[in-house]
Amino acid sequence: MDKNWTIETLNRMSLEEKVGQLLMVFFYDIDSIESHNRIISEVQKYNLGGVFHSSLTKESLVSFSSSVQKAAKIPVLIAGDYECGPGWVVDGALRVSRPMTRGNAGDTELEYNIGKCIAKQGRAIGSTVTFSPVIDLNTNRLNPDVNIRAYGEDVDTVCNLAVPYIKGIQENGMLGCVKHFPGNGATDMDQHICTAIINCSREEMYENFLEAYKRTFKEADPAFVMVAHLEVPSLTTEINPKNGRVVPSSVSKEIVTDILKKELGFKGVAISDALNMGGITTHYSRQEVAVKSILAGIDMLLVFNPDDFYLEYDALLNAAKEGIIPIERIDDAVTNILNAKVKAGLNVDMGLPFEDSVINELFTPGKYDKLSVDAISRGITLLRNRDNVLPIKDIKGKKVIVLSTFNPDEETLTVQGQELIVMRDKTPELLRKRGAEVQEYNIPLHMTVADIYEIIGKAKEADYVFFNFFIAPSWGIGTLIPNKSSLRFLCSDY
């Protein structure tokens, strides 16, 4: 690592520039080319350390990353959430199954190759950080936030797959980020809505959730750790005097500095989870959160308020000028961020996207289809097989009904601003290829009773009925229960 670049860069920065490095801001409109000049002006004005993107086209990200890196005084970290591959938020990129499926597969080579592909595609279009993998232990089956985003419920399963995934990412040009420290699997609450409470003993936390981090740090050296807005009474004694509750992990010095950095020896960037989450906004004002987080040991704030992120910036700058945040803490955080930029090679290539010919080759349609199919097929798990109906040996000419229900559905994704995400059931297509006579029905949230019973009547006449549930934990929903129309089908006399 080129520590000279870090030291030289730090030494020539003003206090204002250092404070800007502590912020990674989510700009929701990077997909709009017309917005790029405005966003880049904000990056320049505040010397932002990073930018987070959501759903967009690869062309938009290439254009933005090229322009912003050329304009920035210090190369900018560009991050995306690629838990299921960049294709989850970048049109036309690799998209793979959820970690729970891959946890069932247990294929370490597959995980390395997924990480490798994520890094190659992501880095080619200008992205440098992926907020993955999730290394939570899925110990509460009703967890509405983690659940299928986790590899499994025990340390070995999680670490055996997370380690090669991180290596695949970091050996191919991008940086990985493990989350959600200190462990967000043992709750049925969603920190997007409220502060999730982890009621595990200190012993349970160390033997399980923290052990996953300890092993991952030692074996894979991830560049980032995302600290969650969790109340963990067994790990912190600090009480918020406003509400008498334990302070969230993201603002707890006992958790971030004492446990993460000192006990577990993490030397990378500790970044907060998104600061617009109910898990932290129910405790403090935005300005209070910014200052308390940095004092707790957080190095970088993930700010989801692009229109007025200056509130966090001004709060940090004023606190530093007044001596509330020691300059040593600011310098320590900025040093960690600059070291991450060196680790990603930004001191050498500025994080610029690759040539068009390289991008086109990496995004060739069908290039990674086998990888996606392998990730799905190897993780398929048969839980019950009544009367040995599976496998179906001959479906040619059979009458088949396929019912599909999605949660989140199209309406919810649109409300969340994720309308580019399209979920589709391919079962009908595959059955038709095998000669079946297929009728397919989407089961949305809103259906009349008459419509439901009309479909039930057709199902009674079919040789086979496939009822497929595509239920994914999604932020801000807080439930894994199928929609009410689906429940009516399940409770019918069919």
Side-chain angles (χ1 to χ4, degrees):
M1 181 180 291
D2 186 357
K3 291 188 177 181
N4 289 333
W5 183 85
T6 295
I7 295 170
E8 291 169 4
T9 304
L10 179 70
N11 288 341
R12 65 171 179 263
M13 292 168 67
S14 65
L15 176 60
E16 288 77 7
E17 290 172 331
K18 291 177 181 179
V19 169
Q21 286 294 294
L22 306 182
L23 304 182
M24 176 176 282
V25 180
F26 166 49
F27 290 99
Y28 57 84
D29 53 351
I30 294 176
D31 195 41
S32 171
I33 301 294
E34 293 74 22
S35 301
H36 289 184
N37 287 339
R38 172 183 53 79
I39 297 171
I40 291 168
S41 293
E42 299 275 38
V43 171
Q44 288 178 306
K45 178 179 178 180
Y46 291 95
N47 195 40
L48 295 180
V51 169
F52 177 74
H53 77 82
S54 59
S55 301
L56 42 58
T57 64
K58 67 178 186 298
E59 291 79 13
S60 296
L61 186 53
V62 167
S63 174
F64 173 76
S65 60
S66 177
S67 299
V68 75
Q69 298 296 22
K70 291 175 182 176
K73 186 174 182 179
I74 298 170
V76 179
L77 291 166
I78 297 179
D81 196 335
Y82 301 163
E83 288 178 26
C84 301
W88 192 246
V89 288
V90 179
D91 188 39
L94 169 75
R95 191 167 175 177
V96 294
S97 54
R98 294 282 193 164
M100 181 183 283
T101 302
R102 288 145 45 199
N104 288 332
D107 190 329
T108 56
E109 183 179 359
L110 177 68
E111 284 306 297
Y112 180 87
N113 288 332
I114 289 172
K116 179 180 178 180
C117 180
I118 287 172
K120 284 187 170 294
Q121 285 193 329
R123 184 63 194 83
I125 57 178
S127 184
T128 44
V129 183
T130 169
F131 288 151
S132 61
V134 171
I135 63 169
D136 296 322
L137 307 185
N138 192 29
T139 58
N140 188 326
R141 62 184 177 83
L142 296 179
N143 190 307
D145 183 17
V146 177
N147 208 287
I148 62 173
R149 299 168 65 196
Y151 285 116
E153 59 190 35
D154 62 275
V155 176
D156 286 341
T157 297
V158 170
C159 292
N160 288 345
L161 297 173
V163 167
Y165 176 93
I166 296 165
K167 288 182 177 179
I169 289 167
Q170 298 194 164
E171 291 174 5
N172 289 281
M174 283 187 68
L175 304 177
C177 175
V178 291
K179 58 186 184 183
H180 306 83
F181 191 85
N184 184 26
T187 180
D188 58 4
M189 304 167 73
D190 182 354
Q191 63 164 336
H192 295 87
I193 301 172
C194 61
T195 312
I197 301 171
I198 308 295
N199 280 320
C200 293
S201 68
R202 191 175 184 88
E203 182 180 41
E204 288 175 312
M205 291 300 298
Y206 272 86
E207 288 183 356
N208 297 295
F209 301 96
L210 294 176
E211 180 64 22
Y213 284 91
K214 182 179 179 180
R215 278 182 52 178
T216 304
F217 294 161
K218 180 180 179 180
E219 298 175 28
D221 189 27
F224 280 73
V225 168
M226 181 174 284
V227 183
H229 310 306
L230 307 171
E231 290 182 19
V232 192
S234 65
L235 296 183
T236 183
T237 58
E238 184 182 353
I239 301 297
N240 180 354
K242 293 183 178 181
N243 54 28
R245 288 154 49 191
V246 171
V247 301
S249 303
S250 52
V251 294
S252 168
K253 188 173 182 180
E254 291 169 283
I255 289 176
V256 182
T257 295
D258 296 344
I259 296 176
L260 175 62
K261 295 188 173 184
K262 292 182 179 179
E263 289 187 38
L264 300 182
F266 179 67
K267 303 298 182 185
V269 177
I271 187 169
S272 73
D273 210 333
L275 296 186
N276 67 331
M277 289 176 152
I280 193 68
T281 60
T282 54
H283 274 268
Y284 302 105
S285 70
R286 287 170 56 187
Q287 294 90 335
E288 289 173 322
V289 170
V291 174
K292 282 188 68 65
S293 296
I294 299 300
L295 285 172
I298 293 292
D299 300 310
M300 201 169 205
L301 303 177
L302 183 56
V303 183
F304 264 51
N305 299 91
D307 296 328
D308 58 0
F309 65 85
Y310 58 81
L311 293 178
E312 282 81 7
Y313 176 88
D314 289 344
L316 292 175
L317 182 59
N318 292 334
K321 287 181 176 180
E322 294 169 10
I324 296 171
I325 303 177
I327 188 61
E328 293 81 8
R329 173 78 272 268
I330 299 287
D331 284 351
D332 173 62
V334 175
T335 295
N336 290 338
I337 293 165
L338 294 177
N339 283 339
K341 295 183 178 186
V342 171
K343 193 168 185 175
L346 302 192
N347 60 316
V348 176
D349 61 20
M350 295 169 54
L352 292 169
F354 295 172
E355 296 292 332
D356 288 346
S357 59
V358 177
I359 295 173
N360 291 336
E361 194 278 328
L362 286 169
F363 283 80
T364 301
K367 183 178 179 66
Y368 297 106
D369 282 359
K370 185 178 185 304
L371 186 63
S372 296
V373 171
D374 284 348
I376 296 170
S377 60
R378 295 179 191 177
I380 292 175
T381 303
L382 182 62
L383 297 180
R384 183 182 298 167
N385 191 11
R386 286 179 177 168
D387 300 324
N388 293 316
V389 70
L390 298 175
I392 301 173
K393 295 182 173 60
D394 184 13
I395 205 164
K396 187 175 181 179
K398 301 292 186 181
K399 294 180 180 179
V400 178
I401 298 288
V402 177
L403 310 177
S404 310
T405 187
F406 300 89
N407 185 13
D409 57 13
E410 190 174 314
E411 179 182 343
T412 302
L413 290 171
T414 300
V415 170
Q416 292 179 333
Q418 300 183 74
E419 55 272 7
L420 286 180
I421 297 176
V422 178
M423 299 183 74
R424 183 166 63 92
D425 187 353
K426 298 193 72 172
T427 308
E429 174 188 332
L430 297 172
L431 288 170
R432 289 189 182 106
K433 286 182 178 180
R434 298 199 176 190
E437 298 176 11
V438 182
Q439 288 181 283
E440 57 185 296
Y441 300 93
N442 178 40
I443 310 302
L445 173 62
H446 303 292
M447 290 184 72
T448 66
V449 174
D451 287 340
I452 290 173
Y453 276 94
E454 180 182 351
I455 296 173
I456 289 174
K458 293 179 180 180
K460 288 180 179 180
E461 298 173 0
D463 296 304
Y464 295 100
V465 177
F466 289 74
F467 202 160
N468 299 329
F469 293 83
F470 300 89
I471 302 175
S474 184
W475 58 267
I477 294 177
T479 180
L480 291 171
I481 299 173
N483 67 47
K484 63 183 181 183
S485 298
S486 301
L487 294 176
R488 283 175 173 166
F489 274 96
L490 293 174
C491 295
S492 71
D493 59 2
Y494 171 70

